[in-house]
Amino acid sequence: PRELADLFIDLRAVAAVLVEPTSVVSRSTNRTRLIAAQRFIRFLSELRERSADEQLARLDGLLPSGRSAGWQSTGSFVAGTARRTRPSRPTLDAQDLHRILYSAKRDSTRGIRDLAIVALHCFSGLRPEEITALDWDQIEVARQGEGYQALCVAVHRGGQAWTLPLPRHSATALVQLADSLDAQIGDLHGPIFKRSASVDQPLSYRAIRDVVGRACDQSGLPIVEAVDLRAAFAHWLGSQGLSDHEVASVLGVQRVRTVDRLLRRHRALDAQRRVRETQSR
């Protein structure tokens, strides 16, 4: 066993892993690994007061050289399978979001917490890192009545403050989580998603990702990425009658072009359905 810092200072070992990966990876994946290694070596060199440029030049000399493909400045080649492609991701719809949400356990305080995590991933404009760092003080009660609280969440993105409305699914899940703690939302402080009731430490990003992954697995769906859930949420908002500009405001994005990119696959499928319906008439 070796410390991570010592491993990355051993440039021959780093080069050997890049040239001969222990598992089959695509070239694009291995190029990304090289870029990450370069950044970490630069970081370690600054800590140990070494010349980062010299260290990176040494690593480059240990790798097969070739013409630059535009993915990094040195133009070194790394190993990988050219024909290995990333498996296509599913295009989720509102029905899939509800399946994932209803698959989350809710039979205990921890289960209610996990339900709120899944609800925010499926039915909110929050990004995964924002959900991980979410604090009770960020939740605002916009309206209350008929047994339902309309909630908003305050976030900062790129130096700009956003107030995002939370749809009923995610708002109800947060209210249930507060009720399980015998408190009102306005009376709670600190991280929303804690490791346990007795430990005032937030869940890690990986632990929250595992919660979402289990819900996907229990619903019979493959483990999807956060961007797939956001795209399905945006498509659901559109099906509720919201315009692209309104969808952008709920997601907390400045440009409608971002919504267009999210919905590219959904709109392609919708167009195919319309063509089939027209031909069947």
Side-chain angles (χ1 to χ4, degrees):
R2 306 175 63 183
E3 293 185 0
L4 189 61
D6 292 335
L7 177 63
F8 273 85
I9 289 299
D10 187 354
L11 300 180
R12 291 187 178 277
V14 175
V17 172
L18 291 170
V19 174
E20 298 180 6
T22 55
S23 60
V24 179
V25 297
S26 66
R27 287 181 179 174
S28 60
T29 298
N30 218 15
R31 289 168 184 170
T32 304
R33 294 169 67 188
L34 171 59
I35 293 171
Q38 289 173 329
R39 290 176 179 172
F40 198 61
I41 290 169
R42 184 176 293 279
F43 171 74
L44 289 176
S45 299
E46 293 175 356
L47 287 181
R48 299 194 173 193
E49 297 182 351
R50 296 185 179 185
S51 172
D53 293 335
E54 291 182 4
Q55 295 292 98
L56 293 176
R58 283 186 55 203
L59 176 62
D60 189 51
L62 295 170
L63 296 172
S65 60
R67 296 177 59 187
S68 175
W71 51 268
Q72 50 106 8
S73 59
T74 60
S76 295
F77 285 155
V78 288
T81 303
R83 295 186 178 181
R84 181 179 173 88
T85 58
R86 189 178 188 179
S88 58
R89 304 195 309 268
T91 302
L92 306 180
D93 56 20
Q95 209 170 22
D96 295 322
L97 292 181
H98 285 93
R99 284 171 58 190
I100 297 172
L101 180 61
Y102 295 143
S103 297
K105 294 182 178 179
R106 58 193 81 192
D107 54 354
S108 62
T109 301
R110 182 172 180 176
I112 295 173
R113 180 205 68 185
D114 292 351
L115 174 66
I117 291 173
V118 175
L120 287 173
H121 276 83
C122 292
F123 290 99
S124 83
L126 292 173
R127 297 168 179 170
E129 64 273 13
E130 293 170 341
I131 297 174
T132 303
L134 200 59
D135 194 280
W136 285 110
D137 294 326
Q138 295 175 248
I139 307 299
E140 304 172 2
V141 180
R143 188 178 67 256
Q144 188 170 359
E146 300 179 358
Y148 168 66
Q149 290 182 342
L151 304 181
C152 295
V153 57
V155 295
H156 283 82
R157 293 177 182 172
Q160 182 178 353
W162 291 85
T163 301
L164 308 180
L166 292 177
R168 180 183 293 268
H169 303 82
S170 51
T172 301
L174 285 177
V175 171
Q176 291 175 351
L177 179 58
D179 290 342
S180 70
L181 301 174
D182 298 324
Q184 299 293 322
I185 287 182
D187 300 329
L188 291 168
H189 305 281
I192 293 181
F193 303 118
K194 299 191 294 184
R195 297 181 181 180
S196 66
S198 58
V199 178
D200 196 24
Q201 291 184 352
L203 277 175
S204 66
Y205 180 91
R206 178 174 293 182
I208 286 182
R209 180 61 188 165
D210 289 342
V211 170
V212 179
R214 284 195 298 271
C216 292
D217 184 61
Q218 291 165 2
S219 67
L221 293 168
I223 298 177
V224 297
E225 297 183 5
V227 65
D228 301 314
L229 297 175
R230 281 172 63 84
F233 175 57
H235 188 257
W236 175 77
L237 290 173
S239 69
Q240 303 301 303
L242 275 68
S243 67
D244 284 355
H245 288 277
E246 291 170 327
V247 172
S249 65
V250 175
L251 293 178
V253 296
Q254 293 181 338
R255 300 179 179 180
V256 179
R257 189 183 305 171
T258 305
V259 178
D260 292 335
R261 285 198 299 267
L262 275 175
L263 295 177
R264 182 167 53 238
R265 286 188 293 169
H266 287 87
R267 286 173 175 167
L269 290 175
D270 289 342
Q272 292 174 9
R273 293 189 188 101
R274 287 193 295 269
V275 170
R276 287 197 297 267
E277 289 173 1
T278 302
Q279 292 175 344
S280 63
R281 290 176 185 174

